Amino acid sequence: MASSTNEAVQPATTYAEATEAEKHAVLRKVTGSSFLGNFIEWFDYASYSYLATVIAMVFFPAEDRAVAVMSTFGVFALSFLVRPIGAIFWGNMGDKKGRKWALSVSILLMSGATFLIGCLPGYAVIGVGAPLLLLLLRMVQSFSAAGEYAGAATFIAEYAPHNHRGFYCSMVPASTATGLLVGSLLATFMFTVWGADSSFVVDWGWRIPFWLALPLGYITHYIRTHLEDSPVYAQMQERMKEMGEKVEHPIRTLFTKHLRVLLISFGACVLNAVGFYAVLTYLPNYLETTLNYPPSDASTITTIVLVVYIAFIFLSGRISDKVGRKKMLIGACVGFIVFTVPAFMLLGTMNFWVILIVELFMCLLLTINDGTLASYLTETFPTDVRYSGFALSFNLANAIFGGSASFISFWLIDLTGNAIAPAWYMVAIAVVAFIAMCMTHDHSGKKLDDVK
């Protein structure tokens, strides 16, 4: 009897001999579980960011709304500080014990911490304990989520055909955008139906997206435990076994043999870290808090932008398979350097259609970077340190620059009194990324076994 195409192929040698239909069935499961796991992480982040004004009312004293919102984003930024620690742990375990093990365990911790955030009592009930518990759970969540993006992209890249790696890896940032989209839709719906200050939204509504993480996390865990590790990783393990070797200390190997590549990759990631949060999560709050733009209109614009963003992501990944990752990433850097300041100036017009066009253009620039970065990072590091190198460079950039992007933007405006100060910050970050990309090597389309 012929084997079912829905069965996961077991050892790597069997996978190599499997039919194209069987390989495609496994690839569908890999991309599906990676998409869902990353979606959970970013649906939570979207919910936290888009409902920041509500969460500020729940967890912080209400005397000064601006201070409460800044405190909410301060918790958001502080939680990112544990990401490099999580990246070292999950990256090391992902290279040592396998991609499957790291992804299966981390999703349970991440979804559990997210669920508990939705169960927390507010400041009115337990006082200062509320924001402290919020910070603690966000740190647990950030620690466990630190390996999700890198692990998901690595898992897909090591299964995907080498000439379509960019397209398949774009599933990961697409899942990020989908999580943000669903979070934005939920926030828009609640603000439109009940209002941002309604008792339902303040007492219960904001908790719903956090509660959803638990069942979604279990489903993702179940799918991942029924998959085998990637053929590229399994083949490496087999070769090392034949030679009497094994992966002992991936992080040590990363720092001793691949430090220059790690530093360049970190530099390449900083634009994505700042640009992603600035364009997709900071701008809605910028419009509401700094420009006093109506929250419902800001949420509507964000929703439209995210729908277009998802389409752009897949297109960017496919184009990168044709022209190469380096050209795409350098192009994004140049775009941000030239157009960010004029874009922020146009936001001040307060015109719905002008703001929408500006955000769509910024979204296009970001997708050129975001749709390419995942495949670029998987091709930059060899198999024995791929998970570690990707996770550390990506999460270190996000810890230093990404999680703090909204907080720093608000602080720069408060410090300078200039509403477009965050634009100049993004330009400076884009210059750093441009220099890093000019120093890198392009391994687009190369078989991952050949990356040394």
Side-chain angles (χ1 to χ4, degrees):
M1 181 181 296
S3 61
S4 168
T5 59
N6 289 325
E7 293 176 2
V9 182
Q10 300 302 318
T13 53
T14 306
Y15 182 87
E17 297 168 358
T19 65
E20 289 303 314
E22 289 173 327
K23 289 181 178 179
H24 189 66
V26 176
L27 184 56
R28 280 202 309 270
K29 289 184 178 181
V30 170
T31 54
S33 65
S34 296
F35 188 99
L36 187 56
N38 204 53
F39 167 84
I40 296 168
E41 176 186 353
W42 293 101
F43 176 51
D44 161 68
Y45 283 121
S47 301
Y48 189 93
S49 183
Y50 297 142
L51 295 170
T53 54
V54 178
I55 293 174
M57 286 189 284
V58 175
F59 288 98
F60 296 95
E63 286 79 9
D64 189 326
R65 184 178 180 184
V67 171
V69 173
M70 285 187 66
S71 298
T72 302
F73 281 115
V75 168
F76 187 81
L78 285 172
S79 67
F80 269 70
L81 296 180
V82 301
R83 276 187 166 252
I85 300 173
I88 290 173
F89 177 81
W90 297 111
N92 189 71
M93 299 307 291
D95 285 326
K96 190 173 182 178
K97 298 191 68 171
R99 292 37 168 145
K100 170 186 169 179
W101 184 92
L103 287 169
S104 299
V105 176
S106 65
I107 191 65
L108 289 181
L109 290 176
M110 183 177 71
S111 57
T114 304
F115 173 79
L116 290 176
I117 288 174
C119 300
L120 286 177
Y123 186 88
V125 179
I126 60 172
V128 72
L132 290 177
L133 286 173
L134 176 65
L135 176 60
L136 176 62
L137 287 174
R138 286 210 66 84
M139 292 181 76
V140 171
Q141 190 221 40
S142 286
F143 172 82
S144 54
E148 181 63 40
Y149 192 99
T154 298
F155 208 34
I156 291 176
E158 292 182 343
Y159 266 104
H162 67 89
N163 57 333
H164 296 296
R165 190 179 299 126
F167 172 73
Y168 279 103
C169 283
S170 69
M171 296 287 180
V172 179
S175 66
T176 298
T178 304
L180 292 173
L181 173 61
V182 176
S184 174
L185 285 171
L186 183 59
T188 301
F189 175 78
M190 286 194 289
F191 290 160
T192 302
V193 175
W194 292 288
D197 298 330
S198 70
S199 58
F200 172 78
V201 173
V202 174
D203 293 339
W204 299 105
W206 72 270
R207 301 177 186 273
I208 295 173
F210 296 93
W211 287 339
L212 290 174
L214 194 63
L216 291 175
Y218 177 77
I219 292 170
T220 306
H221 172 78
Y222 178 84
I223 296 173
R224 286 174 173 174
T225 53
H226 287 76
L227 288 168
E228 295 300 320
D229 251 319
S230 72
V232 173
Y233 181 80
Q235 288 166 8
M236 181 199 74
Q237 292 284 71
E238 187 64 28
R239 286 196 302 270
M240 296 186 75
K241 183 178 179 181
E242 291 175 357
M243 297 171 63
E245 302 175 353
K246 61 180 180 179
V247 179
E248 290 282 3
H249 305 289
I251 291 296
R252 182 187 300 173
T253 302
L254 178 66
F255 279 101
T256 56
K257 295 184 178 181
H258 308 285
L259 181 59
R260 180 179 182 275
V261 174
L262 179 65
L263 293 174
I264 291 173
S265 297
F266 168 78
C269 288
V270 296
L271 177 59
N272 182 266
V274 174
F276 181 86
Y277 290 101
V279 173
L280 297 181
T281 64
Y282 168 69
L283 281 186
N285 287 286
Y286 172 80
L287 291 171
E288 296 172 35
T289 306
T290 304
L291 303 181
N292 294 315
Y293 197 69
S296 58
D297 288 348
S299 294
T300 299
I301 290 173
T302 301
T303 300
I304 295 171
V305 168
L306 285 169
V307 171
V308 177
Y309 185 84
I310 295 170
F312 282 169
I313 280 286
F314 289 118
L315 180 62
S316 177
R318 191 172 291 279
I319 293 175
S320 76
D321 283 324
K322 303 294 184 181
V323 305
R325 325 298 180 210
K326 184 172 181 175
K327 291 179 181 178
M328 296 284 284
L329 292 171
I330 287 179
C333 294
V334 173
F336 275 108
I337 292 170
V338 174
F339 294 109
T340 300
V341 172
F344 266 73
M345 289 179 175
L346 288 172
L347 292 176
T349 62
M350 301 292 284
N351 181 283
F352 179 90
W353 295 106
V354 172
I355 293 173
L356 176 60
I357 292 171
V358 167
E359 289 205 32
L360 284 173
F361 183 75
M362 296 295 287
C363 162
L364 175 61
L365 289 179
L366 181 59
T367 54
I368 295 173
N369 175 281
D370 204 18
T372 308
L373 186 66
S375 50
Y376 162 76
L377 290 173
T378 60
E379 294 167 343
T380 299
F381 298 96
T383 305
D384 60 333
V385 295
R386 181 167 296 124
Y387 201 144
S388 299
F390 190 142
L392 187 55
S393 57
F394 184 80
N395 284 285
L396 191 60
N398 275 275
I400 298 174
F401 298 101
S404 62
S406 295
F407 184 83
I408 288 176
S409 296
F410 279 121
W411 176 76
L412 285 173
I413 293 172
D414 185 61
L415 178 69
T416 64
N418 187 345
I420 65 168
W424 292 107
Y425 175 61
M426 188 182 294
V427 169
I429 292 296
V431 170
V432 172
F434 175 80
I435 295 171
M437 286 311 306
C438 289
M439 297 172 63
T440 194
H441 296 290
D442 195 340
H443 299 302
S444 301
K446 180 182 287 188
K447 291 185 178 180
L448 294 181
D449 283 336
D450 297 331
V451 177
K452 304 298 181 184

